Amino acid sequence: MSRLNDLLMRLANSDPALAKDLKREVDALSGRRAFGLNFERHVPEAVELPGRPVRRGDKVRILPPRGSKAGGDDRLWRVMAVVKDPAGARLASLELMGDEHETAETLVDDLVVVAEFRDPIYPGLVSTGKVERGGDKPFHAVINAENYHALQTLLFTHRAKVDAIYIDPPYNTGAKDWKYNNDYVEGEDLYRHSKWLAFMERRLKLAKELLNPDDSVLIVTIDEKEYLRLGLLLEQTFPEARIQMVSSVIAQKGVARGAQYYRTDEYIYFIQIGASTVVPLVLPDEWALGKSKSGSGAAQGVVWSQLRRAGTNSLRVDRPGLFYPIYIDSAGPRIVGVGAPPPLQELRGSTPAAERGVEVVWPLRSDGTEANWQVSPEALMRLVDNGYVRVGQKNGNGYPISYLKRGSIQKIELGQVEVVGRHSATGQVIVDASDYEREFIPGTQWNIAGHDATYHGSQLLSRFLGSAKFPFPKSLYAVEDALRFFVAKKPRANILDFFSGSGTTAHAVMRLNKQDGGQRRSICITNNEVAADELKRLYDEGRRPGDPEWEQWGICDYITKPRVAAAITGRMPNGDPIKGDYKFTDEFPMADGFEENVEFFTLTYEAPLRVSSNREFSKIAPLLWLRAGSEGRRIDDVSSGWDVADTYGVLADLNHSEAFVEAVAARERISIAFIVTDEDRLFEAIARELPSHVEPVRLYEAYLHNFEIETGRSAL
């Protein structure tokens, strides 16, 4: 190595740029392990940024003429100047990057900005819409961005704060299922595996810094094409973690593999960091070790059904006699009585109050709509006396109540299903598939009906989006279950998915919140790449990436955002109520939606000088809000000099520091104060005046420093 270093020093005198590039490659090679996973880490990666304004100094590519499917000019050019011609068209003067001294002039509209991953970026966020049904609950975020740059952005907002990451990365099948440097990677590519590993390693290194080192988990799904290499990469990237792999059946019917065995399963890696543990949970019998599914009560027809009616004739006005109060002793919880159905014209609030320690439960949907129960008051109490009614623990939507229907009861009374006991507090029967009080950790072979990706991935997605298609969406319940074992005891967990695709992870987190009243937040990142089968049509129409007519068909705008919005509102993009019910852990109509909030963002690329001079505050404002917890009011304007919101404050004019400090001290929930100043002494003086529980952050020094540091990491 000493000889190489001497040669590099000599080269630096004549060609500093080349010497720097060579040193980078030498450092990458010298950092390789002698044993373990070896691959071409130095395969360069870049991303085109359609829609990003062209500025002097940018790296760009020249696009092919509209309507052409040719690859265009793959060479990189540097923008030396941008001017207007006499007709008003914007022209760019270009210089070819590299050793060749070539210049060109072209229309700015025929250029696309290129960011290599060794280049510094200074990101912002622009809101593209929101859905609010969750009151004062925190917001989920969906970010349209190249995920590497989005991860760099989150290092400013969420470094060491993420409790769980769930990702479903490209499987690298060789069938054009992912892109590297804007080109599909095909099976004949000799560097296919190296490109995939370099692609994954860069992102996993950033993900590692986002995860809470004290207690967090990374969950990665993969199939047989790359699971061996991924396993080695995970071991090298997370040497201190505990890693376990689960085999999960995702296609009961199997997927053809030519002359090979049908593929029925995929693999899930769980990378546990710090004190992370698999939480024992109350699970249905199909999860249990060493039990035959064919002998379970569920297989014989014992099913606990939701007491509140769903579907047709489910409103109070449809069956007034089935709208009545149920009295629940919260100490059980158990049903201690029922009331008479009030007249249809009478408000339910006129019903006499319950005794101390007893709560009144009505058949209400999550949006407050009055529904009805499945059985009459008299029939319900007979079921309670026989142990055929179950009351779950109270959550954000009240007490879940379920019961056994006639068919299940007959199975028990005929002796086809054994009653092995009764719950001491409630009297509810326990059958061989219904011991819901026993918590356990399942094994590493998951064959769960709810994890079938056809029925609960593709077909479920069609209920929300109609004819819009997305290839191979995950089962909603598979993602929900994988996360459940790690965030069940973390009701305010931060959960990240940077290969978000159709938005299943956000949907699953909302399901988890509904089940226990949690306020978990998801951040889902996906690009706006257009499906391969749409490209030809768009090119034929003369469209290009960045055109509104092109972008509307991208994954984020066409699939992810509409799916997440539909999940919350309970309505398809065309306004129709979503048909069908959710299944398994929590069964209720999909049209009920969720009491959640979400905001949609697009990542922008800002000029550092404009940021540091406070001219792009509106683009930086969402980052400050996300760092403070993405809840409550966001500070989008500080033209008055300062502002204080629910969880953070911003001081832009130090002449208002006294009023700012007083306002921060008056609000106990504020955890961060952002102070805009270039002077160390003034920043430190104001920081000393803040309450001890408030973190002072200096703008824009902390922001700029974060992304300048990350530039050095990107070179590898």
Side-chain angles (χ1 to χ4, degrees):
M1 289 300 296
S2 60
R3 175 60 175 161
L4 278 173
N5 288 330
D6 290 340
L7 292 172
L8 288 170
M9 290 177 63
R10 288 168 55 188
L11 180 62
N13 294 326
S14 59
D15 193 337
L18 179 59
K20 183 179 179 181
D21 287 343
L22 286 173
K23 186 177 187 306
R24 183 184 299 112
E25 302 302 330
V26 168
D27 290 344
L29 289 169
S30 63
R32 286 186 174 183
R33 298 167 181 261
F35 299 97
L37 187 63
N38 288 300
F39 56 93
E40 299 295 336
R41 285 184 174 85
H42 64 282
V43 176
E45 189 174 355
V47 61
E48 293 183 355
L49 308 175
R52 152 77 153 78
V54 176
R55 307 182 182 117
R56 187 167 64 87
D58 283 342
K59 295 177 183 177
V60 297
R61 288 191 181 122
I62 300 175
L63 294 169
R66 287 188 178 273
S68 171
K69 302 179 187 61
D73 188 346
D74 287 333
R75 297 177 297 174
L76 286 179
W77 300 78
R78 179 77 68 186
V79 178
M80 307 308 295
V82 177
V83 298
K84 285 187 178 181
D85 68 7
R90 297 177 69 234
L91 297 174
S93 298
L94 309 176
E95 184 177 278
L96 187 65
M97 297 182 63
D99 295 334
E100 300 179 26
H101 298 287
E102 183 178 342
T103 61
E105 188 174 76
T106 187
L107 290 171
V108 168
D109 289 345
D110 289 334
L111 299 176
V112 62
V113 177
V114 175
E116 295 184 284
F117 285 3
R118 66 189 63 175
D119 299 333
I121 64 155
Y122 301 93
L125 291 175
V126 173
S127 176
T128 57
K130 63 176 69 173
V131 180
E132 297 179 84
R133 287 192 73 201
D136 59 358
K137 294 177 69 174
F139 278 70
H140 303 274
V142 175
I143 302 176
N144 173 7
E146 197 292 318
N147 61 7
Y148 184 86
H149 289 159
L151 289 171
Q152 286 185 312
T153 303
L154 292 181
L155 286 176
F156 175 68
T157 63
H158 284 77
R159 189 186 296 268
K161 294 181 180 178
V162 175
D163 298 287
I165 295 177
Y166 181 102
I167 56 173
D168 182 39
Y171 285 4
N172 200 23
T173 64
K176 292 186 175 182
D177 62 332
W178 71 294
K179 286 184 175 181
Y180 194 86
N181 290 337
N182 298 304
D183 291 326
Y184 283 109
V185 179
E186 303 189 48
E188 295 76 19
D189 190 329
L190 296 177
Y191 286 91
R192 174 160 64 97
H193 298 296
S194 281
K195 287 180 178 179
W196 189 85
L197 288 166
F199 171 89
M200 289 296 298
E201 184 182 47
R202 292 183 182 112
R203 289 153 179 81
L204 289 173
K205 283 183 175 180
L206 298 181
K208 182 177 181 179
E209 294 200 40
L210 291 170
L211 288 164
N212 179 354
D214 297 326
D215 180 2
S216 59
V217 64
L218 167 65
I219 305 171
V220 190
T221 60
I222 200 70
D223 74 355
E224 74 275 15
K225 296 293 189 298
E226 292 287 5
Y227 84 100
L228 292 171
R229 296 178 185 86
L230 176 62
L232 287 172
L233 179 62
L234 291 170
E235 288 185 0
Q236 291 183 180
T237 308
F238 299 89
E240 73 289 348
R242 300 174 308 286
I243 301 176
Q244 191 169 24
M245 188 180 79
V246 162
S247 175
S248 177
V249 174
I250 62 166
Q252 297 286 343
K253 295 180 179 179
V255 177
R257 282 285 195 264
Q260 300 175 322
Y261 296 114
Y262 272 47
R263 176 196 173 214
T264 61
D265 63 349
E266 67 179 12
Y267 308 106
I268 312 175
Y269 280 103
F270 293 89
I271 300 89
Q272 296 175 243
I273 296 169
S276 173
T277 58
V278 180
V279 177
L281 297 174
V282 175
L283 298 168
D285 190 63
E286 62 182 341
W287 283 92
L289 290 167
K291 285 195 175 184
S292 168
K293 291 203 313 176
S294 62
S296 71
Q300 297 177 35
V302 175
V303 177
W304 291 93
S305 301
Q306 180 178 257
L307 183 63
R308 179 168 61 81
R309 189 183 303 277
T312 58
N313 297 319
S314 61
L315 299 178
R316 176 185 181 182
V317 296
D318 297 324
R319 298 188 178 185
L322 297 182
F323 181 81
Y324 56 87
I326 297 176
Y327 298 99
I328 293 180
D329 180 355
S330 58
R334 63 189 181 90
I335 295 174
V336 294
V338 296
L344 186 59
Q345 66 274 14
E346 183 177 305
L347 298 177
R348 64 176 185 272
S350 59
T351 301
E355 300 175 6
R356 180 182 296 273
V358 176
E359 298 186 44
V360 181
V361 176
W362 294 90
L364 305 178
R365 294 179 178 175
S366 59
D367 63 358
T369 302
E370 294 180 335
N372 59 59
W373 301 118
Q374 300 256 25
V375 299
S376 67
E378 299 77 16
L380 177 63
M381 291 310 299
R382 288 195 296 271
L383 291 168
V384 170
D385 292 340
N386 287 311
Y388 297 148
V389 178
R390 184 178 72 191
V391 181
Q393 293 297 321
K394 187 177 183 180
N395 58 37
N397 296 296
Y399 289 96
I401 305 175
S402 53
Y403 74 112
L404 295 181
K405 292 184 176 180
R406 182 178 304 171
S408 294
I409 294 172
Q410 287 180 345
K411 300 287 185 182
I412 294 173
E413 294 178 345
L414 292 173
Q416 296 174 358
V417 176
E418 177 187 5
V419 174
V420 297
R422 289 177 178 266
H423 292 298
S424 57
T426 66
Q428 173 207 318
V429 296
I430 302 173
V431 297
D432 63 346
S434 305
D435 186 359
Y436 289 90
E437 290 186 340
R438 185 168 64 90
E439 295 182 340
F440 63 91
I441 296 174
T444 57
Q445 296 287 321
W446 293 3
N447 189 358
I448 311 300
H451 296 185
D452 191 291
T454 299
Y455 299 111
H456 308 300
S458 299
Q459 293 183 12
L460 181 143
L461 186 62
S462 68
R463 292 179 181 269
F464 289 79
L465 299 182
S467 60
K469 302 297 182 185
F470 180 81
F472 312 117
K474 311 300 290 185
S475 162
L476 171 63
Y477 310 111
V479 178
E480 178 185 326
D481 285 341
L483 287 167
R484 188 193 313 279
F485 290 106
F486 298 93
V487 300
K489 307 299 183 183
K490 298 178 180 179
R492 290 183 62 84
N494 288 315
I495 299 167
L496 170 64
D497 181 350
F498 54 91
F499 288 101
S500 181
S502 67
T504 307
T505 298
H507 201 160
V509 173
M510 289 187 271
R511 285 255 311 165
L512 291 169
N513 282 344
K514 182 180 182 299
Q515 290 160 24
D516 63 5
Q519 295 191 0
R520 301 172 185 86
R521 285 155 277 200
S522 67
I523 300 177
C524 290
I525 300 164
T526 186
N527 60 26
N528 207 37
E529 187 175 297
V530 171
D533 56 0
E534 289 284 342
L535 292 177
K536 181 180 184 304
R537 177 181 64 82
L538 292 170
Y539 278 126
D540 288 343
E541 294 175 358
R543 308 300 183 191
R544 286 174 173 168
D547 293 344
E549 297 84 359
W550 179 291
E551 296 298 321
Q552 67 178 334
W553 299 104
I555 293 171
C556 188
D557 287 347
Y558 188 52
I559 301 292
T560 318
K561 290 164 58 175
R563 189 259 183 90
V564 174
I568 294 176
T569 63
R571 293 184 175 274
M572 300 173 66
N574 64 6
D576 291 342
I578 298 169
K579 297 178 181 178
D581 296 342
Y582 288 107
K583 299 183 180 298
F584 309 110
T585 307
D586 192 11
E587 300 184 8
F588 61 96
M590 293 176 180
D592 284 1
F594 295 96
E595 295 178 357
E596 298 282 350
N597 303 313
V598 65
E599 187 158 8
F600 307 108
F601 297 98
T602 293
L603 187 76
T604 63
Y605 297 82
E606 305 305 322
L609 183 59
R610 290 185 60 84
V611 170
S612 61
S613 59
N614 205 32
R615 286 182 288 174
E616 296 293 356
F617 182 80
S618 63
K619 307 284 183 61
I620 308 303
L623 299 179
L624 310 184
W625 177 71
L626 283 171
R627 182 161 174 166
S630 66
E631 57 184 315
R633 181 175 67 87
R634 182 165 66 238
I635 300 172
D636 288 317
D637 178 72
V638 285
S639 57
S640 64
W642 67 281
D643 196 0
V644 170
D646 302 74
T647 59
Y648 72 107
V650 179
L651 175 62
D653 183 348
L654 271 57
N655 292 322
H656 299 281
S657 59
E658 184 175 346
F660 175 75
V661 170
E662 289 180 1
V664 169
R667 301 194 183 187
E668 295 182 357
R669 292 185 61 205
I670 290 182
S671 59
I672 301 180
F674 297 98
I675 303 168
V676 181
T677 179
D678 290 331
E679 298 190 32
D680 295 342
R681 181 179 57 82
L682 292 176
F683 172 74
E684 292 169 1
I686 296 171
R688 284 195 297 269
E689 297 298 319
L690 293 170
S692 59
H693 68 277
V694 176
E695 174 193 2
V697 177
R698 181 175 164 187
L699 291 181
Y700 290 90
E701 189 270 344
Y703 167 90
L704 296 171
H705 187 60
N706 180 84
F707 299 110
E708 285 158 3
I709 286 177
E710 291 309 313
T711 302
R713 176 202 319 278
S714 307
L716 297 180

